[in-house]
Amino acid sequence: PYLPLTAGSTVPLSGDLYLNDSKFVRFATTGGSAGNASIDFSTGTAFSFISNSSSAPMVFKTSSTERMRILANGNVLIGTTATTPIRLKVVQNVANEWACGITSTATNSYGLFVDCSANAGVFALGVYTNTGTGLFVRNDGKVGIGTDSPSQKLDVAGKIRVTDDIILAQQNGRIDYDNGVSTGALRFFSTSGNTERMRITSAGNVGIGTTSPAAATKLDVAGGTKSTFYTSDGARGFKQ
């Protein structure tokens, strides 16, 4: 049920309108389905607002289906009615569609801006996946992929695939092998057959073609071809 109200453009309605129980105000146009209904706040420079003075949520619907609600504490829910300690929560329940999209088309414009400079918490950004931990940016500037406790500027829990060069842009760049213990080896594989080609042990010995380079040999090359190398004193030698 609804209450029809009519008023001329020069004689606006004045005062408050109170509705009880399940009553509502319906906005319709003389053009029917082809027309556009709207709410226009013609207040000049005065402040305009829509207010809900109760503790119940404010609900917005289209086609008689709820699309969004604003809770009494100011939290906004889109696509869900479940209360959550998140200021804005968007739930997508349609397959093959993004939950949220941001498009910036102006010249020299920007995309998404997240400012947590005044945040004393741990995280500035968190992305979860269906397998658990996804990507996290902590307030100390460290980024974790597959981990929410990165120890370095970029901490990846898992394999990394690089389709271009890796550049160490410093004078004395280095690659550290640190598995938390004093044993093990840094290994080099070729993707063809997933075969190990070379390893550097924790003792500093290098093995090529072997997974167990001799302890007394800094460079141990296994195979049918002799490999020549020079020692620090200029002598030449080889190991077959």
Side-chain angles (χ1 to χ4, degrees), residues 78-158:
I78 300 177
T80 180
T81 60
T83 58
T84 173
I86 301 175
R87 211 56 172 165
L88 171 62
K89 183 174 184 179
V90 181
V91 176
Q92 173 60 284
N93 55 13
V94 179
N96 301 318
E97 290 188 8
W98 294 98
C100 183
I102 299 176
T103 302
S104 181
T105 59
T107 303
N108 297 325
S109 60
Y110 304 96
L112 178 65
F113 176 73
V114 179
D115 184 3
C116 292
S117 57
N119 182 8
V122 177
F123 300 110
L125 178 66
V127 178
Y128 289 89
T129 65
N130 61 352
T131 58
T133 304
L135 181 146
F136 287 87
V137 179
R138 296 172 63 94
N139 267 346
D140 57 6
K142 294 184 175 66
V143 178
I145 300 178
T147 175
D148 58 4
S149 302
S151 60
Q152 302 296 330
K153 279 296 184 182
L154 176 60
D155 195 337
V156 180

Side-chain angles (χ1 to χ4, degrees), residues 52-75:
N52 178 11
S53 59
S54 72
S55 59
M58 181 178 291
V59 177
F60 298 83
K61 293 183 178 183
T62 61
S63 300
S64 300
T65 300
E66 179 176 334
R67 306 301 183 183
M68 181 180 75
R69 65 171 49 194
I70 303 175
L71 304 182
N73 62 2
N75 291 354

